[in-house]
Amino acid sequence: MTSPSPSPSAPTLRTDRLLLDRYTPADEEAFVALFQDTRVSRWMGDGTTSEAEDRALFGRVFSKVYARDLFDVWAVRQDGRLVGHAEIKRTDEVDGHEIIYALAPEVWGRGLGLELAAAIVTHGFDTLGLTEVHATVAEPNRASLALLERLGFAHVRDITEDDGSTTRVLTRTRS
């Protein structure tokens, strides 16, 4: 497994229907709305956080992630409107690079999640030179588990969280 450096700045990625590019300060309200939507945030990190915490997170995208080129993080846009969030970064939890993605509920059910996740995986393999890409998914998040399976991810292990819930670790190896 390789452990490449993050790219100097996350490149713009395009799919048939999505544009993944850097956040701008004008994206703050849409970012906060996405992260405050409990249908989305329940599956992310430690779950729903306060609006102030989400605003601080948005600020850190600029002050830390972009400023120090820590990892690739994108605003996900469709027809010019922010509809999601995406990242690929090295994490100790999977001992490798993990993809993270979220879409606003109003665009669910249209195949955009598959398109988005595929673009991040391709970036990991083709641009970052990774040999493996990982994802962590809460066991009850059947939609995300099915999406990743369709992309060729395989379940490799489970993590029992402090609250007793299960997080699945999935891996896709470069073919």
Side-chain angles (χ1 to χ4, degrees):
M1 182 171 65
T2 61
S3 185
S5 302
S7 61
S9 63
T12 298
L13 305 179
R14 296 179 194 282
T15 71
D16 288 343
R17 298 175 290 170
L18 299 173
L19 172 68
L20 285 69
D21 65 359
R22 290 171 66 100
Y23 281 102
T24 69
D27 292 322
E28 183 172 359
E29 294 308 317
F31 176 94
V32 171
L34 177 70
F35 279 69
Q36 283 292 295
D37 190 319
T38 56
R39 296 169 294 176
V40 175
S41 62
R42 70 184 283 210
W43 305 119
M44 297 180 69
D46 294 325
T48 305
T49 57
S50 72
E51 181 179 333
E53 289 171 300
D54 288 338
R55 289 190 187 282
L57 175 63
F58 185 76
R60 286 192 302 275
V61 167
F62 296 96
S63 67
K64 291 188 178 181
V65 178
Y66 289 160
R68 299 180 192 161
D69 291 325
L70 297 179
F71 56 89
D72 293 338
V73 60
W74 298 274
V76 179
R77 304 178 198 284
Q78 183 181 39
D79 300 325
R81 187 171 60 90
L82 188 126
V83 296
H85 173 86
E87 305 175 12
I88 186 167
K89 65 182 177 182
R90 179 156 180 70
T91 63
D92 291 337
E93 189 169 40
V94 298
D95 192 27
H97 282 72
E98 178 179 1
I99 64 168
I100 297 163
Y101 55 90
L103 288 170
E106 62 266 17
V107 299
W108 289 357
R110 300 178 191 171
L112 294 176
L114 190 65
E115 206 170 297
L116 174 58
I120 306 166
V121 168
T122 299
H123 172 71
F125 290 151
D126 294 351
T127 303
L128 300 180
L130 302 174
T131 57
E132 291 182 327
V133 177
H134 308 276
T136 57
V137 181
E139 185 178 40
N141 188 347
R142 298 288 177 213
S144 198
L145 290 169
L147 180 155
L148 292 166
E149 184 177 300
R150 286 182 60 197
L151 284 176
F153 280 77
H155 174 243
V156 292
R157 66 183 168 94
D158 289 335
I159 299 168
T160 302
E161 302 294 348
D162 292 340
D163 65 1
S165 65
T166 300
T167 297
R168 297 246 156 146
V169 177
L170 300 103
T171 300
R172 178 166 165 197
T173 304
R174 184 182 190 126
S175 41

